[in-house]
Amino acid sequence: MKTKILLKEAEMPTHWYNVVADMPNPPTPPLGPDGQPVGPDALAAIFPNAIIEQEMSAERWIPIPEEVREALRLWRPSPLYRANRLEQALGTPAKIYFKNEAVSPAGSHKPNTAVAQAYYNKMEGIKRLTTETGAGQWGCSLALAGQLFDLEVEVYMVKVSYGQKPYRRSMMQTWGAKVFASPTDRTNAGRQILTAHPDSDGSLGIAISEAVELAAGRDDTNYALGSVLNHVLLHQTIIGEEAKKQLELVGDYPDMIFAPCGGGSNFGGIAFPFFADKAAGKAVQLVAVEPTSCPTLTKGVYAYDFGDAIGLTPLLKMYTLGHDFMPPGIHAGGLRYHGDSALVSQLHNEGLVDAWAVPQLETFEAGVLFAKTQGIVPAPESCHAIAAVIREAKRCTESGETKTLLFNLSGHGHFDMSSYDRYFAGELEDFDYPEAAIKESLAHLPKVG
Amino acid sequence: MKTKILLKEAEMPTHWYNVVADMPNPPTPPLGPDGQPVGPDALAAIFPNAIIEQEMSAERWIPIPEEVREALRLWRPSPLYRANRLEQALGTPAKIYFKNEAVSPAGSHKPNTAVAQAYYNKMEGIKRLTTETGAGQWGCSLALAGQLFDLEVEVYMVKVSYGQKPYRRSMMQTWGAKVFASPTDRTNAGRQILTAHPDSDGSLGIAISEAVELAAGRDDTNYALGSVLNHVLLHQTIIGEEAKKQLELVGDYPDMIFAPCGGGSNFGGIAFPFFADKAAGKAVQLVAVEPTSCPTLTKGVYAYDFGDAIGLTPLLKMYTLGHDFMPPGIHAGGLRYHGDSALVSQLHNEGLVDAWAVPQLETFEAGVLFAKTQGIVPAPESCHAIAAVIREAKRCTESGETKTLLFNLSGHGHFDMSSYDRYFAGELEDFDYPEAAIKESLAHLPKVG
């Protein structure tokens, strides 16, 4: 039986798919502090024009520049797998496919957008990109992309992670990036924090502030973001486009598509190209999978809120748990986000995208079964999609349905083995639904209009 | 320009290539303690019959069982890459190709033989495999293979590595293996060591003793080795066979082939299938690359010696630095071996295989250039082949030769980032050629015949 479905390099998509073109309603605009829609000018201090155009675009197909395709060919097209052995272990009549995005040099889907962002910045004469990173997945991806397009990359890495996750830091340095433990004394934001809290462990919110401040203050420097925004999701649609072609090669089409959902680029990347068919009437269920401890889509409110933790960004209309909600310390760091992509949120609000929440222990149990059957050790984020697929496959076993299930294996777990260690040692827990904390943070939602 | 050359699953080789059939002289036999050739019976306590037959076989083509091919399809055929960006960075007229064996779930070429060994043991009713591991590459590969064929796997991991390399241990456990810090109190060998040295850090020699003792003493248990022996090299020839097919697809053929060489399975795996052409008169240079600090082929003697450090194994005729030679602590752990495959050694002795030695700092410099140009962060072992290829590519720049160079990227460096860290911090060194230590250990060579 066929295990992998491959595309030739010549079959790699030539355009990204923009879901905005097929949404039943126009996307909600980001708002400035004055409650008015943010125009392109406000973004020009930190983003190149090409990216700003993509952020605002309603064109269905946006061409992928040949230089970006050339860089993506270092690992793309990525293989689509039929998970034969997982199916057998589950005894399910369902067919399970997964797209393997772990094959990128950085080990996740994130370089798909990092490469595109680096290219557009290079084309507009930018010399340097700044960004923030927590555990380091995004920082690695931008370091790689900067190296490929000869841009300097400065990564502001949350200080506690800088100490605890040294190997992703080494990887960024191998690709030539400068990595700073944030808060630093290089920015006003960092210095303010250090004055008040000399021993600060840092946070993603502080690191964003530092990266944005430096990009805004230097003409030759821009900022790059790894999820949430429309252009990031756009660049990730190459995943779903490839998957669709690969399924066509074996005469199949998914009944349900699953992906982990933190900021939304993982989910949007695989699901949006199938949304085009759904909008045209085809039956396909799109399931965003999130942690029960950070249940943005399943328990949040649909409202305007800040994208960052401390209120520096424009306001986005999205499902949110409140921008100052601090999620419990689950090991899927990429899913510990209070908000979500505005596009994913809007489609969920309109009933076109489903959301499931799974608890931490179930995700690791699923990840271990996946590793034992399919070999690949998945990232904790990816384990969320696997857990959801296993739930559905078991349901099919009971009902006898022969559904076709597709999920995005967004990354490998090579830098997350300490989480597996803790799982095996029985040290991981399922956090209670943080109802009180969410209620508290939702009380701080900004007032709009 | 094409980056990757892929084979379809249906194009995966159906047979392993046995270099013995094309060697100008028959292979030298392993000898027992009595100086007489070791027969199949002596090996039957720890190996299945099918493996013993392969170890002794002179058949040119040995069929790969369908069950093994099915397991290999989890990651094979592996991609062949044209290293366009590395070529550009070097400004070389040489064409550089590499086979990417880092795509296996365990991250190296080692599972190619682990899967085959697990299968043959399963077929002969074995329930459990034992093995030793240092840093964990081989232990991971056997853990994965045992899981795929429903065999228990016990890994005796050198105690100092067990503590220092926890993530490869976690990976083995994720695949269901039992991992013990060796020396243990589970074996006579371990107990003897612990009695004499309660704080022993362990060694690969001790771990081998434990694994072999347990396999020899239990009917349902066998032992598996990750390199050196003929059957291990045989199972790795799928690498070179695939590479040959892939180069044919682009109308190319290598002038020179490079691979790191520790026990020899990495090198034999990619080079032997091309040896068939060389034996038939074709000009192709096969280069085994080793560390200057453990220069087995370049500075050792060709003599009968033990395969392990403490003299438990049969004697193999090979290049050796003396079985009790303790190599300096370079970071390419897989190349810290006093001896070499008997097949590789014999071909080197006959002038049919070349050997180059490269110092540690040059290998990391090469690895970083490779990561910056091609994206993939290579394992320290693989960096040896990259360093040699870069040397040759630079020579081509000077001479204007348009040679075609092929190397084996045997593994990724995701679990070796601490070595890169030390390299960037300037903490790595080039060891002097350990002349006195080698002279000393060569004085302890066993007397034969």
Side-chain angles (χ1 to χ4, degrees), chain A residues 1-9 66-67 70-77 81 84-85 103-107 144 147-149 164 166-176 367-368 371-377 412-418 420-421 424, chain B residues 1-9 66-67 70-77 81 84-85 103-107 144 147-149 164 166-176 367-368 371-377 412-418 420-421 424:
Chain A
M1 192 183 281
K2 208 159 189 171
T3 300
K4 298 180 296 299
I5 301 129
L6 305 176
L7 293 179
K8 294 181 188 141
E9 291 188 352
E66 178 49 31
E67 293 85 345
E70 176 67 30
L72 292 175
R73 278 197 282 270
L74 286 173
W75 69 94
R76 302 205 76 85
Y81 275 70
N84 298 310
R85 288 169 187 261
V103 297
S104 84
L144 168 67
Q147 183 64 49
L148 295 176
F149 288 102
Q164 286 176 355
Y167 300 142
R168 284 215 169 270
R169 169 172 55 73
S170 319
M171 210 164 184
M172 292 184 247
Q173 289 166 336
T174 303
W175 286 317
V368 170
K372 287 187 170 178
T373 50
Q374 297 296 132
I376 304 165
V377 178
H412 62 61
H414 298 173
F415 294 91
D416 303 288
M417 294 314 302
S418 62
Y420 280 89
D421 251 5
F424 289 123
Chain B
M1 191 185 279
K2 208 160 189 171
T3 300
K4 298 180 295 300
I5 301 130
L6 304 176
L7 293 179
K8 294 180 187 144
E9 291 188 351
E66 178 49 31
E67 293 85 345
E70 177 67 28
L72 293 175
R73 278 196 283 270
L74 286 173
W75 69 94
R76 303 204 75 85
Y81 275 70
N84 297 310
R85 287 169 187 260
V103 298
S104 84
L144 167 67
Q147 183 64 50
L148 295 176
F149 288 102
Q164 286 176 354
Y167 299 141
R168 284 216 169 271
R169 169 172 55 74
S170 319
M171 211 164 184
M172 291 183 247
Q173 289 166 337
T174 303
W175 285 317
V368 171
K372 287 188 171 179
T373 51
Q374 297 297 133
I376 304 165
V377 178
H412 62 60
H414 299 172
F415 295 91
D416 303 288
M417 294 315 300
S418 62
Y420 280 89
D421 252 5
F424 288 123

Side-chain angles (χ1 to χ4, degrees), chain A residues 3 79-84 86 96-101 243 246 270 370 374 376 386 405-409, chain B residues 74:
Chain A
T3 300
L80 181 81
Y81 275 70
R82 174 80 185 268
N84 298 310
L86 177 61
I96 304 177
Y97 293 93
F98 65 92
K99 187 73 169 155
N100 185 0
E101 291 294 309
Q246 286 162 313
I270 194 161
F370 185 77
Q374 297 296 132
I376 304 165
I386 299 170
L405 312 177
L406 168 66
F407 74 94
N408 197 23
L409 184 79
Chain B
L74 286 173

Side-chain angles (χ1 to χ4, degrees), chain A residues 245-417:
Chain A
K245 283 192 190 189
Q246 286 162 313
L247 285 169
E248 275 168 21
L249 287 177
V250 289
D252 229 329
Y253 193 90
D255 296 296
M256 297 176 75
I257 300 173
F258 300 85
C261 195
S265 76
N266 189 331
F267 173 75
I270 194 161
F272 282 178
F274 293 89
F275 182 82
D277 304 332
K278 189 179 174 82
K282 188 144 185 142
V284 52
Q285 196 180 344
L286 311 176
V287 185
V289 189
E290 58 187 19
T292 47
S293 54
C294 189
T296 315
L297 295 171
T298 51
K299 300 277 192 181
V301 301
Y302 186 49
Y304 269 102
D305 197 3
F306 296 108
D308 66 323
I310 50 181
L312 293 174
T313 71
L315 296 168
L316 300 171
K317 180 103 183 248
M318 59 183 178
Y319 280 86
T320 178
L321 300 168
H323 60 276
D324 55 6
F325 171 64
M326 179 64 75
I330 57 165
H331 285 253
L335 307 182
R336 293 180 69 235
Y337 183 57
H338 69 276
D340 208 326
S341 144
L343 297 177
V344 172
S345 294
Q346 184 166 333
L347 291 171
H348 179 55
N349 187 246
E350 289 167 350
L352 297 167
V353 156
D354 292 341
W356 293 9
V358 285
Q360 175 159 272
L361 291 178
E362 183 179 342
T363 67
F364 276 91
E365 188 186 349
V368 170
L369 179 61
F370 185 77
K372 287 187 170 178
T373 50
Q374 297 296 132
I376 304 165
V377 178
E381 291 81 2
S382 307
C383 290
H384 284 70
I386 299 170
V389 164
I390 289 175
R391 275 190 192 180
E392 186 63 27
K394 286 180 173 170
R395 199 172 293 157
C396 287
T397 308
E398 284 166 28
S399 67
E401 284 173 288
T402 56
K403 281 190 179 176
T404 297
L405 312 177
L406 168 66
F407 74 94
N408 197 23
L409 184 79
S410 51
H412 62 61
H414 298 173
F415 294 91
D416 303 288
M417 294 314 302

